[in-house]
Amino acid sequence: MKKTKLWGGRFSKKTHPLVEEFTKSIHFDKKLAEYDCIGSLYHIFILKKAGLLTQNEFNKLFKGLQEIFDEIKKGHFKIDESFEDIHSYIQHLLEIKKGIGKVAFKLHTCRSRNDQIAFDTKLYCHEKTNVICELLIKLQKTIIQLANENNKIVIPGYTHLQHAIPISLQEYLFAYCKMLNRDTERLFNAKKNINLTLGAGALAGTLIQSANYNIAATKSLPNSIKPTSNSIDAVSDRDFVIEILSALSIIGMHLSRLSEDMILWASKEFDFIDIDDAFCTGSSLMPNKKNPDVLELVRGYSGQLYGNLVSVLVTMKGLPLAYNRDMQLDKEPLFSSFEIIQESLKVLAELFKNISFKRENIARQLDDESLYATDISDYLVKNKVPFKEAHTIVGNLIRHKYKVGKELCEMEDGELQRFHKLLTSKIINVIINPQTSVKSKKSVRKVKRS
Ligand code: ARG
């Protein structure tokens, strides 16, 4: 059967090859093939309910679509990229299938690609958000395991990237789990906001009674769908794409911060961790180098993720209702962001199984007595010294320590008590201890994690 367009009749001339090339989308919307088939399956159920297909016609179309769907699922599906888009291609495949014949021409009854593409993209988002949520949970589990295996380690806590107060490494890593938790919820909510509807037609609705668009999930139809409640909005709306791109951007931001921390910790200056050789790369010139390229790329990809979000926001901002072809340009950014996050999560989950902590190097940093300044002032506060006074006293003491170049632990009572009578050598030596410092912080509600 001849290859025909879905819209050829109105035109007296062949489309210019440059226009064909410029307007086509099959080279990227081929990713939607399986969702397009599922969308068509919903559609034939609707057509049958509406009396626009006989049982026999329905059976033929159902069988044809199922066969195409199976081929896609088995990975045997060959795409002819000379077609305009995935919708035209699947329509063509049905037309050339044995035993279907002209019935295939009925598939597009009361349907427009404007509604079809929105629906396909929504189904794609449904499935992909599930994949990402699972990967988020996997990474979280790996981090929790790493945190639990190293639950005795105390590290210097930083603010402004300056030594602040000792903290538990476990809690530090759990902070990332909190972020990943919110990410899963955010993505899940974005998925919940997706309205799976049909019936918009091109923009005005179709002649089919809305009740016929109520389709319950079955073995061949993965979700229940509803008739659209506003056909213009249904074909104009890309909020769901933007919400998902935004959720993916936030995940990317979290993964970037996580990577940045590990990159810093792997540097000679920190030297807190070792990342297994299998997860690092080298330099073509400097034989000594072992670089954390995976982490750098995860950090770097946040640029593309934000770019993808901004690109769709800008594409949508000036569009009049309803469908405009500009909207075709939402697909590549959407696919790209899903892929970036999927691959980043996969590789990070493995990389985190291959990080080891260098306890001695970390412990050396904890010798910095300034880390315990807050603990000394807490001690004074517990002994009724007003906080502001305690703050100044300990500030002066630290200034003195740097001025004379001495360790607080080595100062005699006389020298310490110049700052406050309660500050004895014995007390200072008890306070300056990483484990004691961490244990003395009680305001945080302990959550059981497994
Ligand atoms: N390829 C288009 C997109 O991705 C779908 C078809 C749009 N409809 C049309 N009348 N050109 O948005």
Side-chain angles (χ1 to χ4, degrees), residues 25 29 85 87 113-114 117 323 325 327-328 331:
S25 54
D29 65 22
D85 53 29
H87 323 300
R113 286 177 297 167
N114 301 351
I117 189 64
Y323 177 82
R325 192 62 177 265
M327 289 154 81
Q328 176 166 298
K331 248 73 79 209

Side-chain angles (χ1 to χ4, degrees), residues 76-321:
H76 301 157
F77 192 58
K78 286 203 184 49
I79 306 233
D80 177 351
E81 295 198 6
S82 67
F83 282 81
E84 181 185 340
D85 53 29
I86 193 64
H87 323 300
S88 320
Y89 184 52
I90 290 180
Q91 168 72 39
H92 171 78
L93 289 180
L94 266 186
E95 287 170 16
I96 60 171
K97 260 197 187 300
K98 264 210 220 104
I100 294 198
K102 281 206 161 182
V103 177
F105 292 169
K106 291 202 169 183
L107 176 65
H108 213 58
T109 312
C110 291
R111 182 163 77 157
S112 156
R113 286 177 297 167
N114 301 351
D115 202 19
Q116 208 177 339
I117 189 64
F119 189 80
D120 294 2
T121 313
K122 285 175 180 178
L123 273 189
Y124 165 87
C125 287
H126 254 250
E127 194 160 309
K128 278 290 184 183
T129 48
N130 288 344
V131 173
I132 301 295
C133 285
E134 271 169 33
L135 289 172
L136 280 167
I137 294 168
K138 255 199 192 139
L139 175 61
Q140 221 175 354
K141 282 193 177 150
T142 316
I143 297 178
I144 290 177
Q145 190 174 340
L146 185 68
N148 289 341
E149 281 165 9
N150 294 284
N151 62 354
K152 295 275 162 350
I153 300 183
V154 174
I155 58 167
Y158 297 81
T159 60
H160 312 264
L161 206 57
Q162 304 290 326
H163 273 187
I165 307 182
I167 52 169
S168 135
L169 170 64
Q170 191 186 31
E171 281 306 311
Y172 195 83
L173 293 173
F174 283 163
Y176 279 106
C177 294
K178 283 269 179 198
M179 291 145 88
L180 297 176
N181 245 344
R182 289 196 295 276
D183 288 335
T184 314
E185 268 173 35
R186 197 174 291 113
L187 211 50
F188 186 73
N189 285 335
K191 177 182 155 180
K192 251 184 19 205
N193 286 344
I194 298 176
N195 252 335
L196 276 178
T197 65
L198 279 175
L203 81 163
T206 78
L207 51 83
I208 297 174
Q209 265 294 336
S210 64
N212 294 312
Y213 284 95
N214 266 320
I215 298 279
T218 62
K219 215 169 130 239
S220 25
L221 307 173
N223 299 84
S224 310
I225 63 160
K226 295 249 156 314
T228 183
S229 58
N230 185 303
S231 55
I232 301 161
D233 182 52
V235 295
S236 309
D237 167 38
R238 289 296 181 273
D239 293 1
F240 67 99
V241 173
I242 293 169
E243 273 189 50
I244 284 176
L245 284 176
S246 147
L248 294 173
S249 296
I250 298 174
I251 299 175
M253 182 261 286
H254 290 157
L255 299 185
S256 175
R257 293 185 74 175
L258 176 61
S259 300
E260 170 62 10
D261 265 338
M262 296 306 120
I263 291 167
L264 274 179
W265 288 2
S267 70
K268 265 281 165 298
E269 283 64 26
F270 273 82
D271 214 9
F272 284 4
I273 57 167
D274 184 56
I275 306 170
D276 191 88
D277 277 9
F279 287 86
C280 293
T281 54
S283 154
S284 58
L285 194 148
M286 301 167 282
N288 56 316
K289 293 304 297 288
K290 175 174 160 180
N291 297 326
D293 290 34
V294 170
L295 297 167
E296 291 171 293
L297 283 168
V298 170
R299 184 180 60 186
Y301 270 127
S302 49
Q304 289 192 13
L305 292 167
Y306 301 172
N308 289 339
L309 168 64
V310 171
S311 137
V312 179
L313 278 170
V314 177
T315 299
M316 294 305 295
K317 99 174 236 304
L319 296 186
L321 304 183

Side-chain angles (χ1 to χ4, degrees), residues 11 104 336 380:
F11 291 80
S336 146
L380 293 174

